[in-house]
């Protein structure tokens, strides 16, 4: 019995359309696990939305996406000379952020007769990939034999306004004197994007949006796990792989969802405040005591793992007095969508 | 990209002036704030002319440096207003800036401030007018520019890279030179000189009507001499009172005229517009090479209907055309297009001439001694 993602179809689709309409030129991002939906489903959904371009994270994602989406597929990971496949596919746009890569790609293109499509990424304060201002100016002279589709700017998710940085980066873009006036941006607020469009009306801004699009309306999404087994225990009873003993009378609940689904594998959350960190230390404390808070909610309360999650199921400890669900019942589970694989996704019509 | 190393050395005022003459004769432009004579106008500051020499000993750039002393400390802000004059299109500005910075540091500078004479954006009169009319537009930057300069962006981009800091001018006139100016191009896109009729046709109806009105009323515009400066100053002081700005003393203008006239006989002119013997408007006109400026203006409160201001402007524009100038510069505007802002009237007056709003790269600072620079910034902000 499965770990299921239930989607309120009408609500979800309405949200998708609303985000699309509010962001002209949107480039949906469909990378990784497809935000829990899978890249193929999102690719098909992007086609339904009528956009002309989607973005994937890695080169191996191009093929499954291209099967369901017939427009342009932009690869966000920067192209490197060791990349061998889909280099010359006409529906693929490569991201390039180093002069040596640009030279290598142009050189390879010269031999093939093809004209690879590229976006030039400008390094931002994120310091992940991309050209410095000086390199971007130099890059403008190295693009012969390549089709430059635009410049990419990948900003951090910052607290303050991005506008100062974006204006500075835009000056670098103008300074490069590229033939294209298209800029792909990530993580700008709608207000920031509006201001930018006003001060650079001669440029086209295309926002790359993932989370806000696919997961922006959480109320349309519900994740539930199936109760697979129920075992009443007394204090001292032995259970589990590691033969632990129950600390008190209660119930061991076996539920679907384990490490194979991404359950119990905690990726650090984005929160970086003191409070967030304190909460994490507190969780570590639970760990030391033998019990860790699980993402499962039973009878209105978030329950503890009875032991670390297994590959495909988890054991929870339900203290005495709680309302015990029956085998086959479903319980709510809170997941990080970008790190979870669901057994099934049910989208209502 | 290896560029020949340049060296920066002190120039005599004569060498400096010779360079500017050659530079402007070759079609280059230089601000009057970068003439050696301007250094003598700003007599309260130590001044130095500096020059860039290439390895063959040729002078390829020049700048006027004003050293402004920090109170109580023998350290200076080295200030190059609207300069220096050099090839700002250079691929790598470090070639010019590094030796300059070394030179100024040796001279006791804790920081350098300069205003690269580089255009970044232009808005034609139609664009500015549209911006003023549009209620949602508050600043010039909100209006699509009619031209965005790649060369200008390249300068700004490089200054950012090299650690220079832009001095903010948002929302009004800052202490330094204006980043936004209004100019009438006196040549067409092909570089041919425009005619007076053409310039007149570019003006709005009100300007044309007022120029005609002044002529009909018998307003006479003449060139004054330094002996007429007291008359100019009297009117200028009244204007200052009316328009709420602080006037400069008469002696300032006397110094300015004697210094600039000593350098070039036609560097500076005084224009006087009279109606039946009454002085109704007076202005100061400056010229370096192909660039002419309307620098100071005054107008009477009485007899406004004879349109002395329009008449004197038209005389300056016509004379600039006759002198073969490339551009007539009405100097600073603020970037505000907010109809509620008191500065917007100034823009509207200038926009009527049919010229264009021009954004320069602005003023940039390079701190050389972070501690002293910080103290200086603090002192400036509290002034």
């Amino acid at each position: 019995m499965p770990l299921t993602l239930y989607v309120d179809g009408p609500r979800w689709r309405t949200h998708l359309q609303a985000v699309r309409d509010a962001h002209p030129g949107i480039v949906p991002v469909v990378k990784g696990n497809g935000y829990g939906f899978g890249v193929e489903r999102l690719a098909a959904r992007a086609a339904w939305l009528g956009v002309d371009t989607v973005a994937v994270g890695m080169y191996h994602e191009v093929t499954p996406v291209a099967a369901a989406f017939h427009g342009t597929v932009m690869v966000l990971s920067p192209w490197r000379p060791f990349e061998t496949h889909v280099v010359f596919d006409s529906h693929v746009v490569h991201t390039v952020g180093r002069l040596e890569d640009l030279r290598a790609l142009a050189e390879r293109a010269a031999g093939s007769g093809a004209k690879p499509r590229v976006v030039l990424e400008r390094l931002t304060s994120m310091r992940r990939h991309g050209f410095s201002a000086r390199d971007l100016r130099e890059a403008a002279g190295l693009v012969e034999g390549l089709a430059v589709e635009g410049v990419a700017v990948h900003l951090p998710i910052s607290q303050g306004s991005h506008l100062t940085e974006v204006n500075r980066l835009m000056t670098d873009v103008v300074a490069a004197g590229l033939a294209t006036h298209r800029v792909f941006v990530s993580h700008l607020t709608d207000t920031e994007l509006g201001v930018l469009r006003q001060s650079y009306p001669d440029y086209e801004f295309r926002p790359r949006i993932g989370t806000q699009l696919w997961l922006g309306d959480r109320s349309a999404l519900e994740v539930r796990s199936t109760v697979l087994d129920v075992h009443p225990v007394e204090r001292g009873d032995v259970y589990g792989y590691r033969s632990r003993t129950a600390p008190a009378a209660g119930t061991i609940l076996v539920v679907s969802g384990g490490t194979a689904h991404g359950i119990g594998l905690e990726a650090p959350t984005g929160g970086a405040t003191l409070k967030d960190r304190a909460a994490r230390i507190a969780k570590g404390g639970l760990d030391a005591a033998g019990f860790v808070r699980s993402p499962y909610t039973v009878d209105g309360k978030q329950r503890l793992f009875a032991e670390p999650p297994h590959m495909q199921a988890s054991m929870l400890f339900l203290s005495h007095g709680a309302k015990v669900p029956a085998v086959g019942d479903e319980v709510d589970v809170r997941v990080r969508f970008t790190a979870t694989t669901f057994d099934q996704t049910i989208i209502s019509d | 990209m290896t560029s020949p190393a340049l060296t920066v050395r002190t120039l005599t005022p004569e060498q400096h002036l010779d360079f500017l003459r050659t530079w402007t004769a070759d079609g280059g432009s230089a601000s009057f704030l970068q003439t050696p004579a301007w250094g003598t106008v700003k007599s309260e500051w130590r001044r130095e002319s500096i020059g860039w020499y290439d390895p063959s000993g040729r002078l390829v750039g020049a700048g006027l440096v004003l050293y402004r002393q920090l109170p109580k400390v023998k350290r200076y802000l080295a200030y190059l207003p609207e300069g220096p004059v050099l090839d700002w299109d250079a691929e790598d500005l470090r070639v010019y800036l590094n030796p300059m910075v070394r030179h100024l540091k040796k001279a006791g500078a804790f920081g350098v401030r300069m205003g690269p004479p580089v255009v970044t954006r232009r808005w034609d009169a139609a664009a500015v007018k549209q911006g003023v009319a549009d209620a949602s537009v508050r600043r010039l930057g909100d209006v699509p520019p009619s031209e965005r300069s790649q060369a200008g962006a390249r300068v700004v981009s490089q200054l950012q890279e090299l650690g220079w800091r832009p001095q903010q001018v948002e929302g009004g006139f800052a202490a330094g030179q204006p980043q936004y100016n209004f100019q009438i191009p006196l040549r067409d896109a092909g570089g041919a000189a425009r005619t007076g009729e053409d310039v007149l046709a570019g003006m709005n109806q009100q300007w044309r009507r007022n120029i005609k009105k002044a002529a009909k009323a018998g307003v006479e515009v003449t060139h004054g001499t330094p002996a007429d400066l007291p008359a100019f100053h009297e009117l200028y002081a009244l204007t200052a009172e009316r328009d709420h700005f602080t006037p400069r003393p008469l002696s300032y203008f006397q110094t300015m005229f004697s210094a600039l006239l000593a350098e070039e006989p036609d560097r500076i002119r005084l224009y006087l517009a009279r109606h039946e013997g009454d002085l109704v408007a007076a202005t100061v006109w400056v010229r370096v090479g192909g660039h002419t400026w309307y620098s100071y203006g005054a107008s009477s409160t009485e007899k406004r209907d004879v349109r002395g201001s329009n008449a004197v402007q038209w005389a300056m524009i016509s004379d600039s055309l006759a002198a073969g100038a490339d551009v007539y510069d009405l100097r600073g505007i603020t970037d505000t297009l907010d109809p509620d802002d008191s500065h917007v009237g100034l823009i509207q007056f200038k926009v009527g001439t049919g010229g264009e709003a021009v954004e320069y790269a602005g003023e940039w600072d390079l701190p050389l001694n972070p501690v002293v620079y910080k103290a200086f910034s603090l002192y400036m902000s509290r002034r």
Side-chain angles (χ1 to χ4, degrees):
Chain A
M1 288 293 270
L3 179 70
T4 309
L5 167 62
Y6 291 95
V7 182
D8 179 338
R11 191 171 189 140
W12 189 54
R13 289 188 291 271
T14 303
H15 166 76
L16 299 182
Q17 287 170 322
V19 174
R20 174 201 60 194
D21 295 344
H23 300 89
I26 185 172
V27 176
V29 179
V30 298
K31 64 187 178 185
N33 72 339
Y35 296 82
F37 296 92
V39 290
E40 295 89 344
R41 178 179 279 114
L42 294 190
R45 198 40 74 185
W48 172 82
L49 281 170
V51 300
D52 63 1
T53 306
V54 298
V56 298
M58 314 276 284
Y59 276 91
H60 69 78
E61 292 163 356
V62 173
T63 306
V65 164
F69 179 82
H70 302 300
T72 296
V73 181
M74 175 183 292
V75 184
L76 299 175
S77 291
W79 184 86
R80 295 279 188 253
F82 47 75
E83 186 56 48
T84 49
H85 55 288
V86 305
V87 173
F88 302 121
D89 287 13
S90 61
H91 63 278
V92 177
V93 172
H94 308 282
T95 301
V96 185
R98 302 193 309 166
L99 292 172
E100 52 265 54
D101 293 349
L102 202 58
R103 285 192 200 99
L105 186 56
E107 202 173 296
R108 212 175 293 181
S112 76
K115 208 170 181 188
R117 301 164 68 188
V118 296
V119 297
L120 306 178
E121 180 148 10
R122 169 72 178 92
L123 187 70
T124 68
S125 60
M126 210 163 125
R127 299 205 173 273
R128 196 162 165 186
H129 306 297
F131 295 106
S132 68
R134 198 166 284 276
D135 284 353
L136 188 66
R137 290 199 297 277
E138 198 175 337
L142 296 172
V143 295
E144 206 184 326
L146 304 173
V148 182
E149 306 258 328
V151 177
V153 171
H154 192 182
L155 292 154
I157 306 174
S158 81
Q159 275 76 26
S161 166
H162 283 117
L163 283 176
T164 313
E165 179 173 7
V166 179
N167 272 317
R168 216 170 54 225
L169 297 170
M170 278 307 296
T171 300
D172 301 335
V173 172
V174 176
L178 294 157
T180 174
H181 275 202
R182 190 179 296 128
V183 182
F184 295 91
V185 293
S186 309
H187 299 147
L188 282 184
T189 66
D190 292 355
T191 315
E192 288 168 342
L193 199 55
V195 172
L196 204 57
R197 282 190 167 127
Q198 191 160 32
S199 23
Y200 292 88
D202 43 343
Y203 278 75
E204 180 196 355
F205 293 94
R206 301 204 55 177
R208 299 191 299 208
I209 303 180
T211 307
Q212 188 197 348
L213 175 67
W214 308 117
L215 304 173
D217 185 359
R218 288 296 168 106
S219 59
L221 312 172
E222 211 176 340
V223 180
R224 289 207 289 267
S225 152
T226 313
V227 176
L228 303 174
D229 230 323
V230 178
H231 306 290
V233 287
E234 292 301 326
R235 183 192 156 102
D237 280 358
V238 176
Y239 68 88
Y241 267 128
R242 289 165 181 83
S243 303
R244 293 183 176 203
T245 50
T251 307
I252 297 290
L253 220 55
V254 185
V255 293
S256 61
T259 51
H261 300 89
I263 297 287
L265 300 181
E266 208 181 341
T269 56
T273 65
L274 206 56
K275 198 177 149 198
D276 289 330
R277 270 182 254 164
R280 228 172 292 150
I281 291 164
K283 274 192 197 172
L286 277 175
D287 197 9
F291 280 144
V292 177
R293 204 140 73 107
S294 84
Y296 294 88
T297 301
V298 183
D299 192 22
K301 260 176 89 174
Q302 221 179 326
R303 300 298 167 175
L304 302 174
F305 277 123
E307 69 171 354
H310 304 160
M311 186 125 81
Q312 285 168 321
S314 295
M315 293 176 94
L316 309 177
F317 181 77
L318 209 59
S319 51
H320 187 70
K323 192 166 162 254
V324 181
V327 170
D329 283 357
E330 285 186 318
V331 296
D332 287 333
V333 50
R334 211 192 49 199
V335 300
R336 194 151 180 217
F337 286 84
T338 51
T340 308
T341 310
F342 299 101
D343 293 319
Q344 60 176 4
T345 302
I346 297 176
I347 304 179
S348 64
D349 288 332
Chain B
M1 266 200 306
T2 48
S3 315
L6 302 179
T7 47
V8 166
R9 292 203 292 272
T10 305
L11 297 180
T12 65
E14 293 72 30
Q15 287 171 318
H16 187 179
L17 190 59
D18 274 350
F19 172 79
L20 289 181
R21 283 196 185 118
T22 314
W23 181 267
T24 53
D26 290 348
S29 166
S31 167
F32 66 91
L33 306 182
Q34 278 296 309
T35 58
W38 191 253
T40 59
V41 175
K42 296 287 163 184
S43 55
E44 62 268 49
W45 292 301
R46 183 154 73 85
R47 63 183 176 274
E48 183 191 11
S49 290
I50 58 169
W52 280 260
Y53 287 93
D54 73 8
S56 70
R58 203 165 55 98
L59 192 57
V60 294
L64 173 70
V65 188
L66 301 173
Y67 291 94
R68 304 185 159 186
Q69 195 183 341
L70 192 65
K72 294 181 194 151
V73 193
K74 269 245 171 304
R75 301 303 291 278
Y76 303 87
L77 178 72
Y79 180 41
L80 298 100
E82 300 189 349
V85 176
L86 47 80
D87 176 19
W88 288 97
D89 283 345
E91 281 281 310
D92 190 349
L93 288 177
R94 284 177 293 195
V95 174
Y96 284 95
L97 299 180
N98 288 354
M100 174 184 83
V101 168
R102 276 197 299 273
H103 180 92
L104 299 176
K105 201 169 181 175
K106 249 186 262 165
F110 65 83
V112 184
R113 176 171 294 176
M114 63 176 182
V118 172
V119 173
T120 46
R121 287 184 288 181
R122 292 176 196 273
W123 293 263
D124 58 28
V128 179
K129 247 169 62 185
Q130 185 200 328
V132 175
D134 186 340
S136 72
V137 168
R138 308 257 331 273
R139 284 208 296 270
L140 208 46
D142 297 341
V143 182
S146 4
E147 187 196 322
R148 199 187 286 284
S149 161
Q150 185 199 341
R154 206 164 54 197
V155 170
V156 171
S157 180
Q158 291 198 63
L159 293 178
Q160 279 166 177
E161 243 171 357
L162 300 174
W164 291 74
R165 300 177 184 177
Q167 298 305 298
Q168 294 302 327
V169 293
E170 246 172 49
F173 285 114
Q177 296 305 323
Q179 184 172 5
Y180 296 90
N181 286 277
F182 207 85
Q183 300 175 348
I184 305 175
L186 300 181
R187 295 188 180 280
D188 63 20
R194 296 173 69 193
T195 61
E197 293 79 63
D198 187 31
V199 174
L200 200 58
M203 293 185 170
N204 71 10
Q205 219 181 13
Q206 203 185 353
W207 260 87
R208 288 201 301 267
R209 212 165 33 217
N210 287 343
I211 289 169
K212 249 187 238 157
K213 209 169 166 181
K216 221 169 162 183
V219 172
E220 238 185 307
V221 180
T222 58
H223 295 179
T225 67
D228 296 308
L229 280 172
F232 157 79
H233 194 264
E234 197 182 325
L235 196 61
Y236 165 77
L238 285 171
T239 308
E241 198 179 325
R242 185 183 70 224
D243 296 348
H244 311 291
F245 64 85
T246 314
R248 294 183 180 280
L250 174 60
S251 59
Y252 180 84
F253 293 97
Q254 284 165 334
T255 309
M256 191 168 155
F257 269 77
S258 63
L260 267 60
L261 284 175
E263 189 170 275
E264 288 275 353
D266 196 30
R267 177 77 84 222
I268 189 165
R269 290 184 197 165
L270 180 63
Y271 280 77
L272 304 162
R274 288 197 175 85
H275 179 258
E276 291 167 357
D278 298 325
L279 191 62
V280 286
T283 50
V284 175
W285 178 94
V286 185
R287 174 184 171 199
V288 178
H291 206 124
T292 57
W293 289 267
Y294 154 51
S295 171
Y296 284 93
S299 61
S300 65
T301 309
E302 299 83 39
K303 292 199 176 179
R304 295 195 77 74
D305 54 313
V306 303
R307 296 293 161 190
S309 293
N310 299 92
V312 76
Q313 286 289 343
W314 179 238
M316 289 192 292
I317 293 167
S318 306
D319 286 0
S320 299
L321 274 169
D326 309 316
V327 60
Y328 177 72
D329 198 323
L330 293 111
R331 298 280 298 164
I333 51 173
T334 63
D335 67 341
T336 181
L337 293 183
D338 189 344
D340 297 331
D341 191 304
S342 63
H343 287 125
V344 84
L346 183 67
I347 297 181
Q348 279 169 321
F349 176 76
K350 293 181 179 180
V351 166
T353 62
E356 56 190 19
V358 178
E359 178 194 56
Y360 282 88
E363 298 201 317
W364 292 73
D365 277 14
L366 184 71
L368 299 179
N369 179 331
V371 176
V372 181
Y373 178 80
K374 204 161 178 191
F376 163 76
S377 305
L378 208 66
Y379 161 74
M380 289 302 283
S381 69
R382 285 186 183 164
R383 227 161 51 139

